[in-house]
Amino acid sequence: MRYFGILGLLVAISLLTISCSDKKEEVAKLEKEVLDEGADIDSVGDSSALTDTLGVQTSSPQTVPDEVEPEPFPAIPTGGGYTVQVAGCESQAYAQHLVNVYQDRGYEPYVTNKTVEGQLYYRVRIGQFENLQEAKVLKADLLDKYSVEAWVDLIS
């Protein structure tokens, strides 16, 4: 009887190992996609993300040529509810890049501004949800598909 218990444990460990290796391949594929997308914004500057003590995801300082006219951001939803914030960045150009990325993925992102301790941030957000549960579903979907550490916020 003890033999079967040990054998079952070994089978379970083997299955977990196989499952984890599949996830590693998926993560590697997503990392390659992100790096390929990052090549498109090399002229914008360093796009590595940081999180400050207030929990605002930011990007490193970036340089944007003066002659580049920024595109207008999509319209901000009116009314209340919940939204999912995928990034907060100091660069308007990088925020526009993220809007384009999420639009290409089939989402409807928008950008709001927030000044924190004298610094202007562009908050890239997706969706307008009437209840918290719907927003949490999108947050989980973004984490699962793209490894994005998003958070749910009230629309303000």
Side-chain angles (χ1 to χ4, degrees):
M1 192 65 162
R2 185 176 181 170
Y3 173 76
F4 290 115
I6 293 172
L7 182 61
L9 181 62
L10 290 175
V11 168
I13 291 172
S14 298
L15 290 174
L16 284 173
T17 303
I18 291 170
S19 173
C20 289
S21 67
D22 290 344
K23 290 288 187 185
K24 287 180 183 177
E25 291 172 11
E26 187 177 326
V27 167
K29 182 180 172 185
L30 287 172
E31 285 176 351
K32 183 180 181 322
E33 178 185 326
V34 168
L35 289 174
D36 290 345
E37 289 174 359
D40 296 339
I41 62 164
D42 282 342
S43 63
V44 176
D46 181 13
S47 62
S48 58
L50 305 170
T51 303
D52 68 11
T53 56
L54 298 174
V56 176
Q57 185 177 358
T58 63
S59 59
S60 299
Q62 300 171 356
T63 58
V64 179
D66 292 334
E67 64 273 2
V68 174
E69 182 68 29
E71 299 176 39
F73 290 122
I76 298 171
T78 58
Y82 296 91
T83 188
V84 177
Q85 184 166 323
V86 295
C89 47
E90 297 169 0
S91 167
Q92 183 177 5
Y94 187 65
Q96 183 62 54
H97 168 74
L98 291 175
V99 165
N100 295 339
V101 166
Y102 284 103
Q103 285 175 335
D104 290 346
R105 291 177 176 173
Y107 298 100
E108 295 182 15
Y110 63 95
V111 177
T112 63
N113 297 330
K114 176 79 174 185
T115 302
V116 178
E117 296 180 6
Q119 175 64 52
L120 177 64
Y121 292 95
Y122 297 91
R123 302 182 299 182
V124 182
R125 296 174 160 201
I126 299 174
Q128 178 179 16
F129 304 96
E130 290 183 17
N131 65 58
L132 182 60
Q133 188 58 36
E134 291 174 342
K136 285 184 177 182
V137 168
L138 175 60
K139 176 186 172 189
D141 186 52
L142 291 168
L143 181 61
D144 184 48
K145 286 183 179 177
Y146 307 108
S147 299
V148 173
E149 292 288 338
W151 59 91
V152 176
D153 202 358
L154 287 171
I155 294 177
S156 54

